[in-house]
Amino acid sequence: MNNNPIGVFDSGMGGLSVWLRVRQLMPNESIVYLADGKNCPYGDRTPDEIASLTKRAVEELLARGVKIVVVACNTATAMAIDMLRESFDVEFVGMEPAVKPAALSSQSGVIGIVATHAALSGELFRATSAKYADRVKILSAVGEGFVEIVEQGAEHTPEARKVVAEVIEPMLASGADRIVLGCTHYPFLMDAIESVVGERQVEIIDPAPAVARRVEWLLERDGLRADEQHRASYEFLSFADEEYRQKVEQRAKCLVGEK
């Protein structure tokens, strides 16, 4: 047993989509969530910048005594997860591109991947895509403006639907029946995405539940689960100002129905 917290990190608020799934699956586990905020978004930054920012975040989480680190950022995973595993003696869980479940379940033979430029450029995405290229046609697109909309809390505006439609509509027109969300910010735009999809038989795939299950499995394997009677606590950190940190905490509370 180990009552130390789970560490979850993202460039901003998007990783709360993973934080929520981890909390729901393991309600007795404490979690420290670090939203960079100051340097968000990461999608157009250089690999060296992303590596430096990610390393700093992990050092901050380890200083809080976390027992495992979830890199709840597709861009950071794509650009820095190997470096992190070489640099720190702790288990890391990253965001895997959910190409496999989309490819295996597609009926039309066409799937869409929406992600940041950096994530789509990463070796992990390229390798996974190549593995299933003979099974399905893979359409990829950068979610231009998606992260900014979520950071501004403007997911339910007409502008959000317009921005989402510009990316999703071409995929639907090309026959995609699976849309993979390749950035942890994107699930916050689910209402806008579903509005664009309409009545079409299209499944939107969010990898967050699978990531939470992976965290649980690793904790079980390594004997690091919290005591069943442990009362979980939730801490929120940021490299931005206190106002931003409070916004992150408030959004997290809203996700679980707290005020």
Side-chain angles (χ1 to χ4, degrees):
M1 295 294 178
N2 186 319
N3 291 335
N4 284 16
I6 295 168
V8 181
F9 159 69
D10 183 37
S11 63
M13 298 189 189
L16 289 173
S17 61
V18 179
W19 173 90
L20 176 63
R21 298 294 188 171
V22 172
R23 174 170 170 161
Q24 289 173 333
L25 186 62
M26 294 170 281
N28 63 322
E29 296 284 355
S30 295
I31 308 173
V32 177
Y33 182 87
L34 172 57
D36 180 330
K38 182 178 180 180
N39 303 288
C40 182
Y42 284 5
D44 294 323
R45 293 187 176 275
T46 67
D48 285 346
E49 285 179 310
I50 294 166
S52 177
L53 293 169
T54 303
K55 187 174 182 180
R56 180 189 175 198
V58 171
E59 289 171 344
E60 186 71 23
L61 288 172
L62 291 177
R64 304 282 171 152
V66 302
K67 57 188 174 184
I68 190 170
V69 176
V70 184
V71 183
C73 174
N74 294 72
T75 297
T77 299
M79 294 295 167
I81 195 85
D82 291 339
M83 176 275 292
L84 294 176
R85 286 172 173 152
E86 292 172 359
S87 302
F88 298 100
D89 186 23
V90 67
E91 196 75 57
F92 288 93
V93 178
M95 301 303 299
E96 294 283 341
V99 175
K100 179 179 178 179
L104 296 180
S105 65
S106 175
Q107 300 298 308
S108 69
V110 182
I111 66 173
I113 316 292
V114 187
T116 66
H117 174 74
L120 292 175
S121 301
E123 179 59 34
L124 190 58
F125 173 71
R126 290 199 298 267
T128 306
S129 297
K131 191 180 298 185
Y132 296 96
D134 60 343
R135 178 184 287 268
V136 293
K137 181 179 180 181
I138 300 175
L139 309 173
S140 62
V142 174
E144 293 286 358
F146 284 24
V147 171
E148 290 82 354
I149 287 172
V150 173
E151 287 292 310
Q152 294 163 11
E155 306 97 285
H156 304 291
T157 62
E159 178 62 21
R161 189 189 186 285
K162 178 184 176 183
V163 170
V164 166
E166 290 174 354
V167 175
I168 301 296
E169 281 287 6
M171 292 181 170
L172 301 175
S174 296
D177 66 347
R178 300 291 184 272
I179 303 292
V180 177
L181 304 182
C183 171
T184 54
H185 280 79
Y186 297 177
F188 286 98
L189 289 162
M190 189 66 78
D191 287 350
I193 295 170
E194 290 179 342
S195 174
V196 172
V197 169
E199 298 300 317
R200 284 169 283 205
Q201 297 300 305
V202 176
E203 181 182 353
I204 313 301
I205 300 178
D206 172 11
V211 171
R213 291 193 296 271
R214 176 67 176 171
V215 174
E216 181 182 45
W217 185 87
L218 287 169
L219 293 180
E220 290 281 4
R221 184 198 69 180
D222 297 338
L224 295 176
R225 286 300 305 268
D227 187 277
E228 290 184 4
Q229 305 305 315
H230 179 248
R231 184 170 182 176
S233 63
Y234 305 100
E235 185 178 5
F236 300 89
L237 311 173
S238 178
F239 294 141
D241 57 21
E242 175 60 15
E243 181 182 1
Y244 182 85
R245 192 206 65 79
Q246 289 181 7
K247 286 181 179 179
V248 174
E249 183 170 1
Q250 187 56 45
R251 177 167 285 203
K253 289 181 177 179
C254 288
L255 289 175
V256 294
E258 298 178 1
K259 293 183 179 181

